[in-house]
Amino acid sequence: MSSEQELEAVIGLEIHVQLSTRTKMFCGCELSFGDRANVHTCPICLAHPGVLPVPNRTAIEYALLIAAALECEVAPRSIFHRKNYFYPDSPKAYQISQYDVPIAGAGRLGDVRIHRAHLEEDAAKMVHVGHHRGRIQGSDDSLVDFNRGGTPLVEIVTEPDLRSGAQVREWGQLLRATIRQLGVSDVNMEEGSLRCDANVSVRPVGSDEFGTKTEMKNMNSFRFIERGIEAEVARQKELIASGGQVVQETLHFDPATGELHSLRSKEEAHDYRYMPEPDLVPVVPTRQMLDAAAAALPELPAERSQRYREELGVSEGAALKLSFDLEWAEFFEGVIAHHPEIEPRAAANWVTGEFAAELRKQGDQALGETVVTPDSLGALVRLVGSKRISHSSAKAVLAEMVADGADPLEVVEERGLEQISDSGELEKIVAQAIDENPAPAEQVRSGNEKAIGALVGAVMKATQGRADGGEVTRLLRRDLGL
Amino acid sequence: MIEREQVLHVARLSRLKLSEEEVAALEHELSSILDHVDRLTEIDVEGVEPTSHVVPLENVLRDDLPRPSLDRDRALEGAPDPHDGAFRVPSPQAEA
């Protein structure tokens, strides 16, 4: 096409977070996951006639905590609405939600603006099963389990500020880590305590207008969301480039096949006939409630990652890994607290790199299970930092530490792993390596610098890893006339 | 005025099956109800806050403490077609 314009993706998200309160949003039934069907129901969540809902105070406090973490403006007075629809997952034939006055308004997390966040109740769970009793083929049945019905949810809606599937994955992970650290939700996507829908459209780069969007529903991992969005963006771009038009529809991404399927369009599904919920009075957050939310706010991943990078000089990758998981962050902070003399950057790299890898290797241990203390890992990092042991020796020591909680200094002494600090001794070994490996030595002399790796390997073998790799390379280059 | 199309629309949303006579009757009845309610617009509400609640109450909340749930058999007692501890219903996906 001659008039081909460059197109960009415009993506907004709607995220549902199940709150981890003890009881439901409007009744005292306990929340559960995986229990027998319909053992947590009562006249309120089954919508028997004449019952009255009463909001859960903790759910409102959790919503205020989320609002504080997302820097949202809190509505001085918000009300609940009825969102009317007929479906077996909603016994009242409406969902209690919030409409034009949500508890939380505009906010921000990282580089994405938050449009709003509101409280509502979750629907029941339905399982579709085959037909029975001679019903005609195609008219199947559904089994409804109301245990989940009435679970408190906070729905977070972003502005359409995201531009790619990868950005959605990264930002989604930041949001999940942030909410997890607030302690208000399990944010487990597989169990459905965090669910993400994406609105996806494309437009010419530089345009302020929006293209027709499609909605991608309920994807249960951020990897799938990334792939689903990439597939949908590619589809829309191709469609437009070939002169077609995007049709507004709801799509399901099948991660197994990588294909997008259109869900049957419920043409009138969006006519929810909202009305103020007459059975619930307004929520007016008190000064005390707002202060409590502000006071309960922990250091959140975005700030923590920034502090690690800017104040401690930690690499970006390590800072992200540490700040997304409080347990790891605390371990890292323990390392540098016990050993203030080591470089935080090196400590962070050891914690998130070799140490994490060794835990995985030895039985996929969780951090909480390891016998290694922050103090002993710090001692190991210090041995490397002061060049008393080489990096490869340190890895061997770490393996023993993870296996049985060995003290790094003792392992170094027992196994004689101290680095060869006598440069005369190292020079001899280097000279010997060159003599014994004439072929790579010749290649290096004639300009193939990559061949030096074989010689470094020979020296390391001869010293059983007790040589400083940088020093070995320096000596080899010198002796080979580079 | 309520048009025939609006009656059918609301009926679909409410999952109601109406006969031709009912549609015609409702067209008339709904119109007159709305006309009646419409008289409210004659009142001058300049400066009056929109009223969603008539009782001057706020923050009626309960503590997050579990209360006993219904026994499952009791919960399913009124269900027309219980199955395996669940409320069995015709699948809404099968609706045309």
Side-chain angles (χ1 to χ4, degrees), chain A residues 22-24 27-29 36-38 41 54-58 86 128 138 140-142 144 268 271 277 280 282-284, chain B residues 9 12-15 53 57-67 69-70 72 75 85-89 91 93-94:
Chain A
R22 293 180 66 191
T23 67
K24 294 186 178 182
C27 66
C29 288
R36 291 188 310 139
N38 293 302
T41 70
V54 186
N56 183 333
R57 181 189 311 278
T58 302
F86 272 90
H128 299 282
D140 290 349
D141 289 327
S142 296
V144 192
E268 285 163 314
D271 193 347
E277 168 58 90
L280 292 169
V283 173
V284 179
Chain B
H9 173 66
R12 265 197 302 278
L13 290 174
S14 312
R15 305 290 186 274
H53 298 81
L57 282 175
E58 57 194 34
N59 294 347
V60 178
L61 308 173
R62 77 186 158 80
D63 290 336
D64 185 24
L65 297 172
R67 293 171 56 107
S69 291
L70 286 176
R72 179 157 83 172
F87 294 79
R88 182 159 57 187
V89 297
S91 175
Q93 289 179 344

CSV table of all heavy atoms in Angstrom, one decimal, chain A residues 22-24 27-29 36-38 41 54-58 86 128 138 140-142 144 268 271 277 280 282-284, chain B residues 9 12-15 53 57-67 69-70 72 75 85-89 91 93-94:
chain,number,residue,atom,x,y,z
A,22,ARG,N,-11.9,-11.7,55.5
A,22,ARG,CA,-12.4,-13.0,56.0
A,22,ARG,C,-13.8,-13.3,55.4
A,22,ARG,O,-14.1,-14.5,55.2
A,22,ARG,CB,-12.4,-13.0,57.5
A,22,ARG,CG,-11.0,-12.9,58.1
A,22,ARG,CD,-11.1,-12.9,59.7
A,22,ARG,NE,-11.7,-14.2,60.2
A,22,ARG,CZ,-12.0,-14.4,61.4
A,22,ARG,NH1,-12.0,-13.4,62.3
A,22,ARG,NH2,-12.5,-15.6,61.8
A,23,THR,N,-14.6,-12.3,55.3
A,23,THR,CA,-16.0,-12.5,54.9
A,23,THR,C,-16.3,-11.8,53.6
A,23,THR,O,-15.5,-10.9,53.1
A,23,THR,CB,-16.9,-12.1,56.0
A,23,THR,OG1,-16.9,-10.6,56.1
A,23,THR,CG2,-16.6,-12.7,57.3
A,24,LYS,N,-17.5,-12.0,53.1
A,24,LYS,CA,-17.9,-11.5,51.8
A,24,LYS,C,-18.1,-9.9,51.9
A,24,LYS,O,-18.1,-9.4,53.0
A,24,LYS,CB,-19.2,-12.2,51.3
A,24,LYS,CG,-18.9,-13.6,50.9
A,24,LYS,CD,-20.1,-14.3,50.3
A,24,LYS,CE,-19.7,-15.8,49.9
A,24,LYS,NZ,-20.9,-16.5,49.2
A,27,CYS,N,-22.1,-9.7,53.3
A,27,CYS,CA,-22.7,-10.6,54.3
A,27,CYS,C,-21.5,-11.3,55.0
A,27,CYS,O,-20.4,-11.2,54.6
A,27,CYS,CB,-23.6,-11.7,53.7
A,27,CYS,SG,-22.7,-12.8,52.6
A,28,GLY,N,-21.9,-12.1,56.1
A,28,GLY,CA,-20.8,-12.6,56.9
A,28,GLY,C,-20.4,-14.0,56.5
A,28,GLY,O,-19.7,-14.7,57.3
A,29,CYS,N,-20.7,-14.5,55.3
A,29,CYS,CA,-20.2,-15.8,54.8
A,29,CYS,C,-18.7,-15.7,54.6
A,29,CYS,O,-18.2,-14.7,54.1
A,29,CYS,CB,-20.9,-16.2,53.5
A,29,CYS,SG,-22.6,-16.6,53.7
A,36,ARG,N,-16.1,-27.4,49.0
A,36,ARG,CA,-17.3,-28.0,48.3
A,36,ARG,C,-18.2,-26.9,47.9
A,36,ARG,O,-18.3,-25.8,48.5
A,36,ARG,CB,-18.0,-28.9,49.2
A,36,ARG,CG,-17.2,-30.2,49.6
A,36,ARG,CD,-18.1,-31.2,50.3
A,36,ARG,NE,-18.8,-30.5,51.5
A,36,ARG,CZ,-20.0,-30.7,51.8
A,36,ARG,NH1,-20.8,-31.5,51.1
A,36,ARG,NH2,-20.6,-30.1,52.8
A,37,ALA,N,-18.9,-27.1,46.8
A,37,ALA,CA,-19.8,-26.1,46.2
A,37,ALA,C,-20.9,-25.7,47.3
A,37,ALA,O,-21.4,-26.5,48.0
A,37,ALA,CB,-20.5,-26.6,45.0
A,38,ASN,N,-21.2,-24.4,47.3
A,38,ASN,CA,-22.4,-23.9,48.0
A,38,ASN,C,-22.4,-24.2,49.5
A,38,ASN,O,-23.4,-24.4,50.1
A,38,ASN,CB,-23.7,-24.4,47.4
A,38,ASN,CG,-23.9,-23.8,46.0
A,38,ASN,OD1,-23.9,-22.6,45.9
A,38,ASN,ND2,-24.0,-24.6,45.0
A,41,THR,N,-22.9,-19.9,51.8
A,41,THR,CA,-24.0,-19.0,51.3
A,41,THR,C,-24.9,-18.7,52.4
A,41,THR,O,-24.9,-19.4,53.5
A,41,THR,CB,-24.8,-19.8,50.2
A,41,THR,OG1,-25.5,-20.8,50.8
A,41,THR,CG2,-23.9,-20.4,49.1
A,54,VAL,N,-25.0,-5.3,54.1
A,54,VAL,CA,-24.2,-4.4,54.9
A,54,VAL,C,-22.7,-4.5,54.5
A,54,VAL,O,-22.2,-5.6,54.6
A,54,VAL,CB,-24.4,-4.6,56.4
A,54,VAL,CG1,-23.7,-3.5,57.2
A,54,VAL,CG2,-25.8,-4.8,56.8
A,55,PRO,N,-22.1,-3.4,54.1
A,55,PRO,CA,-20.7,-3.4,53.6
A,55,PRO,C,-19.7,-3.8,54.7
A,55,PRO,O,-19.9,-3.5,55.8
A,55,PRO,CB,-20.4,-2.0,53.1
A,55,PRO,CG,-21.7,-1.4,52.9
A,55,PRO,CD,-22.7,-2.0,53.9
A,56,ASN,N,-18.7,-4.6,54.2
A,56,ASN,CA,-17.6,-5.0,55.1
A,56,ASN,C,-16.7,-3.9,55.3
A,56,ASN,O,-16.1,-3.3,54.3
A,56,ASN,CB,-17.0,-6.2,54.3
A,56,ASN,CG,-15.9,-6.8,55.1
A,56,ASN,OD1,-15.2,-6.2,55.9
A,56,ASN,ND2,-15.6,-8.1,54.8
A,57,ARG,N,-16.5,-3.5,56.5
A,57,ARG,CA,-15.6,-2.3,56.8
A,57,ARG,C,-14.2,-2.6,56.3
A,57,ARG,O,-13.5,-1.7,55.8
A,57,ARG,CB,-15.6,-2.1,58.4
A,57,ARG,CG,-14.7,-0.9,58.8
A,57,ARG,CD,-14.6,-0.9,60.4
A,57,ARG,NE,-15.8,-1.0,61.0
A,57,ARG,CZ,-16.7,0.0,61.2
A,57,ARG,NH1,-16.4,1.2,60.9
A,57,ARG,NH2,-17.9,-0.3,61.8
A,58,THR,N,-13.7,-3.8,56.5
A,58,THR,CA,-12.3,-4.1,56.1
A,58,THR,C,-12.1,-4.0,54.6
A,58,THR,O,-11.1,-3.5,54.1
A,58,THR,CB,-11.9,-5.5,56.6
A,58,THR,OG1,-12.1,-5.6,58.0
A,58,THR,CG2,-10.5,-5.9,56.2
A,86,PHE,N,-29.3,-10.1,33.6
A,86,PHE,CA,-29.8,-11.4,34.0
A,86,PHE,C,-28.8,-12.4,33.6
A,86,PHE,O,-28.5,-12.6,32.4
A,86,PHE,CB,-31.1,-11.6,33.2
A,86,PHE,CG,-32.3,-11.1,33.9
A,86,PHE,CD1,-32.8,-9.8,33.7
A,86,PHE,CD2,-33.0,-11.9,34.8
A,86,PHE,CE1,-33.9,-9.3,34.4
A,86,PHE,CE2,-34.1,-11.4,35.5
A,86,PHE,CZ,-34.5,-10.1,35.3
A,128,HIS,N,-20.1,-25.2,33.1
A,128,HIS,CA,-21.0,-25.7,32.1
A,128,HIS,C,-20.8,-27.2,31.9
A,128,HIS,O,-19.7,-27.7,31.8
A,128,HIS,CB,-20.7,-25.0,30.7
A,128,HIS,CG,-21.0,-23.5,30.9
A,128,HIS,ND1,-22.2,-23.0,30.9
A,128,HIS,CD2,-20.1,-22.5,31.1
A,128,HIS,CE1,-22.1,-21.7,31.1
A,128,HIS,NE2,-20.8,-21.3,31.2
A,138,GLY,N,-27.1,-29.5,22.5
A,138,GLY,CA,-26.8,-28.1,22.4
A,138,GLY,C,-27.5,-27.3,23.5
A,138,GLY,O,-27.0,-26.2,23.8
A,140,ASP,N,-27.2,-27.3,26.8
A,140,ASP,CA,-26.5,-27.9,28.0
A,140,ASP,C,-27.0,-27.2,29.3
A,140,ASP,O,-27.7,-26.3,29.3
A,140,ASP,CB,-25.0,-27.7,27.8
A,140,ASP,CG,-24.5,-28.6,26.7
A,140,ASP,OD1,-25.2,-29.4,26.2
A,140,ASP,OD2,-23.3,-28.3,26.3
A,141,ASP,N,-26.5,-27.8,30.4
A,141,ASP,CA,-26.8,-27.2,31.7
A,141,ASP,C,-25.5,-26.6,32.3
A,141,ASP,O,-24.4,-26.8,31.8
A,141,ASP,CB,-27.2,-28.3,32.6
A,141,ASP,CG,-28.6,-28.9,32.3
A,141,ASP,OD1,-29.4,-28.1,31.8
A,141,ASP,OD2,-28.8,-30.1,32.4
A,142,SER,N,-25.8,-25.7,33.3
A,142,SER,CA,-24.7,-25.2,34.0
A,142,SER,C,-24.9,-25.4,35.5
A,142,SER,O,-26.1,-25.4,36.0
A,142,SER,CB,-24.6,-23.6,33.8
A,142,SER,OG,-24.3,-23.3,32.5
A,144,VAL,N,-24.2,-24.0,39.2
A,144,VAL,CA,-23.8,-22.7,39.8
A,144,VAL,C,-23.4,-22.9,41.3
A,144,VAL,O,-24.1,-23.6,42.1
A,144,VAL,CB,-25.0,-21.7,39.8
A,144,VAL,CG1,-24.5,-20.3,40.2
A,144,VAL,CG2,-25.7,-21.7,38.4
A,268,GLU,N,-26.7,-6.7,23.5
A,268,GLU,CA,-27.3,-5.7,24.4
A,268,GLU,C,-26.7,-5.7,25.8
A,268,GLU,O,-27.3,-5.2,26.7
A,268,GLU,CB,-28.8,-5.8,24.4
A,268,GLU,CG,-29.4,-5.3,23.2
A,268,GLU,CD,-30.8,-5.8,23.0
A,268,GLU,OE1,-31.1,-7.0,23.2
A,268,GLU,OE2,-31.7,-4.9,22.7
A,271,ASP,N,-26.3,-2.6,28.2
A,271,ASP,CA,-27.4,-1.8,28.7
A,271,ASP,C,-27.7,-2.2,30.2
A,271,ASP,O,-28.5,-3.0,30.4
A,271,ASP,CB,-28.6,-2.0,27.9
A,271,ASP,CG,-29.7,-1.0,28.1
A,271,ASP,OD1,-29.6,-0.3,29.1
A,271,ASP,OD2,-30.6,-0.9,27.3
A,277,GLU,N,-28.1,2.2,44.5
A,277,GLU,CA,-28.5,1.1,45.4
A,277,GLU,C,-29.2,1.7,46.6
A,277,GLU,O,-28.6,2.4,47.5
A,277,GLU,CB,-27.3,0.3,45.8
A,277,GLU,CG,-27.5,-0.7,46.9
A,277,GLU,CD,-28.5,-1.7,46.6
A,277,GLU,OE1,-28.2,-2.8,46.0
A,277,GLU,OE2,-29.7,-1.4,47.0
A,280,LEU,N,-28.2,0.7,50.4
A,280,LEU,CA,-26.9,1.0,51.0
A,280,LEU,C,-26.7,2.5,51.1
A,280,LEU,O,-26.9,3.2,50.1
A,280,LEU,CB,-25.7,0.4,50.1
A,280,LEU,CG,-25.6,-1.1,50.1
A,280,LEU,CD1,-24.7,-1.5,49.0
A,280,LEU,CD2,-25.2,-1.6,51.5
A,282,PRO,N,-24.3,6.1,51.7
A,282,PRO,CA,-23.0,6.5,51.1
A,282,PRO,C,-21.9,6.1,52.0
A,282,PRO,O,-22.0,6.0,53.3
A,282,PRO,CB,-23.2,8.0,51.0
A,282,PRO,CG,-24.6,8.3,51.0
A,282,PRO,CD,-25.3,7.2,51.8
A,283,VAL,N,-20.7,5.9,51.4
A,283,VAL,CA,-19.5,5.7,52.1
A,283,VAL,C,-18.7,7.0,52.2
A,283,VAL,O,-18.5,7.6,51.1
A,283,VAL,CB,-18.6,4.7,51.4
A,283,VAL,CG1,-17.2,4.6,52.1
A,283,VAL,CG2,-19.3,3.3,51.4
A,284,VAL,N,-18.5,7.5,53.4
A,284,VAL,CA,-17.8,8.8,53.5
A,284,VAL,C,-16.5,8.5,54.3
A,284,VAL,O,-16.6,8.4,55.5
A,284,VAL,CB,-18.7,9.8,54.3
A,284,VAL,CG1,-17.9,11.1,54.5
A,284,VAL,CG2,-20.0,10.0,53.5
B,9,HIS,N,-36.9,-4.6,23.5
B,9,HIS,CA,-35.6,-4.4,24.1
B,9,HIS,C,-35.6,-4.8,25.6
B,9,HIS,O,-34.8,-5.6,26.1
B,9,HIS,CB,-35.1,-3.0,23.8
B,9,HIS,CG,-33.7,-2.7,24.4
B,9,HIS,ND1,-32.6,-3.3,24.1
B,9,HIS,CD2,-33.4,-1.8,25.4
B,9,HIS,CE1,-31.6,-2.9,24.8
B,9,HIS,NE2,-32.0,-2.0,25.6
B,12,ARG,N,-36.2,-8.4,26.3
B,12,ARG,CA,-35.1,-9.2,26.0
B,12,ARG,C,-34.1,-9.1,27.2
B,12,ARG,O,-33.6,-10.1,27.7
B,12,ARG,CB,-34.3,-8.8,24.7
B,12,ARG,CG,-34.8,-9.6,23.5
B,12,ARG,CD,-33.7,-9.4,22.4
B,12,ARG,NE,-33.5,-8.0,22.0
B,12,ARG,CZ,-34.3,-7.4,21.1
B,12,ARG,NH1,-35.4,-8.0,20.6
B,12,ARG,NH2,-34.1,-6.1,20.8
B,13,LEU,N,-33.9,-7.9,27.7
B,13,LEU,CA,-32.9,-7.7,28.8
B,13,LEU,C,-33.5,-8.5,30.0
B,13,LEU,O,-32.7,-8.9,30.9
B,13,LEU,CB,-32.8,-6.2,29.1
B,13,LEU,CG,-32.0,-5.4,28.1
B,13,LEU,CD1,-32.0,-3.9,28.5
B,13,LEU,CD2,-30.6,-5.9,28.0
B,14,SER,N,-34.8,-8.5,30.2
B,14,SER,CA,-35.4,-9.2,31.4
B,14,SER,C,-35.7,-10.6,31.1
B,14,SER,O,-36.3,-11.3,32.0
B,14,SER,CB,-36.7,-8.4,31.8
B,14,SER,OG,-36.4,-7.0,31.8
B,15,ARG,N,-35.3,-11.1,30.0
B,15,ARG,CA,-35.6,-12.5,29.6
B,15,ARG,C,-37.1,-12.8,29.7
B,15,ARG,O,-37.5,-13.8,30.2
B,15,ARG,CB,-34.8,-13.5,30.5
B,15,ARG,CG,-33.3,-13.3,30.5
B,15,ARG,CD,-32.7,-13.6,29.2
B,15,ARG,NE,-31.2,-13.6,29.3
B,15,ARG,CZ,-30.5,-12.5,29.0
B,15,ARG,NH1,-31.1,-11.3,28.7
B,15,ARG,NH2,-29.2,-12.5,29.1
B,53,HIS,N,-30.3,9.0,48.4
B,53,HIS,CA,-30.8,8.4,49.6
B,53,HIS,C,-31.6,9.4,50.4
B,53,HIS,O,-31.2,10.6,50.5
B,53,HIS,CB,-29.6,7.9,50.4
B,53,HIS,CG,-28.8,6.9,49.7
B,53,HIS,ND1,-27.9,7.2,48.7
B,53,HIS,CD2,-28.8,5.5,49.8
B,53,HIS,CE1,-27.4,6.1,48.3
B,53,HIS,NE2,-27.9,5.1,48.9
B,57,LEU,N,-28.0,9.1,56.6
B,57,LEU,CA,-27.0,8.2,57.2
B,57,LEU,C,-25.8,8.0,56.3
B,57,LEU,O,-25.9,8.1,55.1
B,57,LEU,CB,-27.7,6.8,57.4
B,57,LEU,CG,-28.7,6.6,58.5
B,57,LEU,CD1,-29.3,5.2,58.4
B,57,LEU,CD2,-28.0,6.8,59.9
B,58,GLU,N,-24.7,7.7,56.9
B,58,GLU,CA,-23.5,7.3,56.1
B,58,GLU,C,-22.7,6.3,56.9
B,58,GLU,O,-22.8,6.2,58.1
B,58,GLU,CB,-22.7,8.5,55.8
B,58,GLU,CG,-22.2,9.3,57.0
B,58,GLU,CD,-21.7,10.7,56.6
B,58,GLU,OE1,-22.3,11.3,55.7
B,58,GLU,OE2,-20.8,11.2,57.3
B,59,ASN,N,-21.8,5.6,56.1
B,59,ASN,CA,-20.9,4.6,56.8
B,59,ASN,C,-21.6,3.6,57.7
B,59,ASN,O,-21.2,3.4,58.8
B,59,ASN,CB,-19.8,5.3,57.5
B,59,ASN,CG,-18.8,6.1,56.6
B,59,ASN,OD1,-18.9,5.9,55.4
B,59,ASN,ND2,-18.0,7.0,57.2
B,60,VAL,N,-22.6,3.0,57.2
B,60,VAL,CA,-23.2,1.9,58.0
B,60,VAL,C,-22.5,0.7,57.5
B,60,VAL,O,-22.7,0.1,56.5
B,60,VAL,CB,-24.7,1.8,57.7
B,60,VAL,CG1,-25.3,0.6,58.5
B,60,VAL,CG2,-25.4,3.1,58.1
B,61,LEU,N,-21.6,0.2,58.4
B,61,LEU,CA,-20.6,-0.9,58.0
B,61,LEU,C,-20.7,-1.9,59.1
B,61,LEU,O,-21.1,-1.7,60.2
B,61,LEU,CB,-19.2,-0.3,57.9
B,61,LEU,CG,-19.0,0.9,57.0
B,61,LEU,CD1,-17.6,1.5,57.1
B,61,LEU,CD2,-19.4,0.6,55.5
B,62,ARG,N,-20.2,-3.1,58.7
B,62,ARG,CA,-20.1,-4.2,59.7
B,62,ARG,C,-18.6,-4.6,59.8
B,62,ARG,O,-17.8,-4.5,58.8
B,62,ARG,CB,-21.0,-5.3,59.3
B,62,ARG,CG,-20.5,-6.2,58.2
B,62,ARG,CD,-21.4,-7.3,57.7
B,62,ARG,NE,-20.9,-7.6,56.4
B,62,ARG,CZ,-19.9,-8.4,56.2
B,62,ARG,NH1,-19.3,-9.0,57.2
B,62,ARG,NH2,-19.5,-8.6,54.9
B,63,ASP,N,-18.2,-5.2,60.9
B,63,ASP,CA,-16.9,-5.7,61.1
B,63,ASP,C,-16.7,-7.0,60.3
B,63,ASP,O,-17.7,-7.7,60.0
B,63,ASP,CB,-16.6,-6.0,62.5
B,63,ASP,CG,-16.4,-4.6,63.3
B,63,ASP,OD1,-16.1,-3.6,62.7
B,63,ASP,OD2,-16.7,-4.6,64.5
B,64,ASP,N,-15.5,-7.3,59.9
B,64,ASP,CA,-15.2,-8.4,59.0
B,64,ASP,C,-15.2,-9.7,59.8
B,64,ASP,O,-14.1,-10.3,60.0
B,64,ASP,CB,-13.9,-8.2,58.3
B,64,ASP,CG,-13.5,-9.2,57.3
B,64,ASP,OD1,-14.5,-9.9,56.8
B,64,ASP,OD2,-12.3,-9.4,57.0
B,65,LEU,N,-16.3,-10.1,60.4
B,65,LEU,CA,-16.4,-11.3,61.2
B,65,LEU,C,-17.3,-12.3,60.6
B,65,LEU,O,-18.4,-12.0,60.3
B,65,LEU,CB,-16.8,-10.9,62.7
B,65,LEU,CG,-15.9,-10.0,63.4
B,65,LEU,CD1,-16.5,-9.5,64.7
B,65,LEU,CD2,-14.6,-10.6,63.7
B,66,PRO,N,-16.8,-13.6,60.5
B,66,PRO,CA,-17.7,-14.6,59.9
B,66,PRO,C,-18.9,-14.9,60.7
B,66,PRO,O,-18.9,-14.9,61.9
B,66,PRO,CB,-16.8,-15.8,59.8
B,66,PRO,CG,-15.4,-15.3,60.0
B,66,PRO,CD,-15.5,-14.1,60.8
B,67,ARG,N,-20.0,-15.1,60.0
B,67,ARG,CA,-21.2,-15.6,60.6
B,67,ARG,C,-21.5,-17.0,60.0
B,67,ARG,O,-21.1,-17.2,58.9
B,67,ARG,CB,-22.4,-14.6,60.4
B,67,ARG,CG,-22.2,-13.3,61.1
B,67,ARG,CD,-23.2,-12.3,60.6
B,67,ARG,NE,-24.6,-12.9,60.8
B,67,ARG,CZ,-25.4,-12.4,61.7
B,67,ARG,NH1,-25.0,-11.4,62.5
B,67,ARG,NH2,-26.6,-12.9,61.9
B,69,SER,N,-22.8,-19.9,57.8
B,69,SER,CA,-23.5,-19.9,56.5
B,69,SER,C,-24.6,-20.9,56.6
B,69,SER,O,-24.7,-21.7,57.6
B,69,SER,CB,-22.6,-20.3,55.4
B,69,SER,OG,-21.6,-19.3,55.2
B,70,LEU,N,-25.5,-21.0,55.6
B,70,LEU,CA,-26.6,-22.0,55.6
B,70,LEU,C,-26.0,-23.4,55.4
B,70,LEU,O,-25.0,-23.6,54.7
B,70,LEU,CB,-27.5,-21.7,54.4
B,70,LEU,CG,-28.5,-20.5,54.5
B,70,LEU,CD1,-29.2,-20.3,53.2
B,70,LEU,CD2,-29.4,-20.7,55.7
B,72,ARG,N,-25.9,-26.7,53.5
B,72,ARG,CA,-26.0,-26.7,52.0
B,72,ARG,C,-27.4,-27.2,51.6
B,72,ARG,O,-28.0,-26.7,50.6
B,72,ARG,CB,-24.9,-27.6,51.4
B,72,ARG,CG,-25.0,-27.6,49.9
B,72,ARG,CD,-23.7,-28.0,49.3
B,72,ARG,NE,-23.5,-29.4,49.3
B,72,ARG,CZ,-22.5,-30.0,48.6
B,72,ARG,NH1,-21.6,-29.2,47.9
B,72,ARG,NH2,-22.3,-31.2,48.7
B,75,ALA,N,-29.7,-24.5,51.8
B,75,ALA,CA,-29.5,-23.5,50.8
B,75,ALA,C,-30.1,-23.9,49.4
B,75,ALA,O,-30.7,-23.1,48.7
B,75,ALA,CB,-28.0,-23.2,50.6
B,85,GLY,N,-24.9,-30.9,44.7
B,85,GLY,CA,-24.6,-29.7,45.6
B,85,GLY,C,-24.6,-28.4,44.9
B,85,GLY,O,-24.2,-27.4,45.6
B,86,ALA,N,-25.0,-28.4,43.7
B,86,ALA,CA,-25.0,-27.1,43.0
B,86,ALA,C,-26.4,-26.8,42.5
B,86,ALA,O,-27.3,-27.6,42.4
B,86,ALA,CB,-24.1,-27.1,41.8
B,87,PHE,N,-26.7,-25.5,42.2
B,87,PHE,CA,-27.9,-25.1,41.5
B,87,PHE,C,-27.7,-25.4,40.1
B,87,PHE,O,-26.9,-24.8,39.4
B,87,PHE,CB,-28.1,-23.6,41.7
B,87,PHE,CG,-28.3,-23.2,43.1
B,87,PHE,CD1,-27.3,-23.0,44.0
B,87,PHE,CD2,-29.6,-22.9,43.6
B,87,PHE,CE1,-27.5,-22.7,45.3
B,87,PHE,CE2,-29.9,-22.5,44.9
B,87,PHE,CZ,-28.8,-22.4,45.8
B,88,ARG,N,-28.6,-26.3,39.5
B,88,ARG,CA,-28.4,-26.6,38.1
B,88,ARG,C,-29.4,-25.8,37.3
B,88,ARG,O,-30.6,-25.7,37.7
B,88,ARG,CB,-28.7,-28.1,37.8
B,88,ARG,CG,-28.5,-28.4,36.4
B,88,ARG,CD,-28.2,-29.9,36.1
B,88,ARG,NE,-29.3,-30.8,36.7
B,88,ARG,CZ,-29.1,-32.1,36.7
B,88,ARG,NH1,-28.1,-32.7,36.2
B,88,ARG,NH2,-30.1,-32.8,37.2
B,89,VAL,N,-28.9,-25.2,36.3
B,89,VAL,CA,-29.8,-24.3,35.4
B,89,VAL,C,-29.5,-24.6,34.0
B,89,VAL,O,-28.4,-25.1,33.6
B,89,VAL,CB,-29.5,-22.8,35.7
B,89,VAL,CG1,-29.8,-22.4,37.1
B,89,VAL,CG2,-28.0,-22.5,35.4
B,91,SER,N,-28.1,-23.9,30.6
B,91,SER,CA,-26.9,-23.1,30.2
B,91,SER,C,-27.3,-21.9,29.5
B,91,SER,O,-28.0,-21.9,28.5
B,91,SER,CB,-25.9,-23.9,29.4
B,91,SER,OG,-24.9,-23.0,29.0
B,93,GLN,N,-25.6,-20.1,27.7
B,93,GLN,CA,-24.9,-20.0,26.4
B,93,GLN,C,-25.8,-20.7,25.3
B,93,GLN,O,-25.6,-20.4,24.2
B,93,GLN,CB,-23.6,-20.7,26.5
B,93,GLN,CG,-22.6,-19.9,27.3
B,93,GLN,CD,-21.2,-20.7,27.4
B,93,GLN,OE1,-21.1,-21.8,27.1
B,93,GLN,NE2,-20.2,-19.9,27.8
B,94,ALA,N,-26.7,-21.5,25.8
B,94,ALA,CA,-27.5,-22.2,24.8
B,94,ALA,C,-28.7,-21.3,24.3
B,94,ALA,O,-29.3,-21.6,23.3
B,94,ALA,CB,-28.1,-23.5,25.4
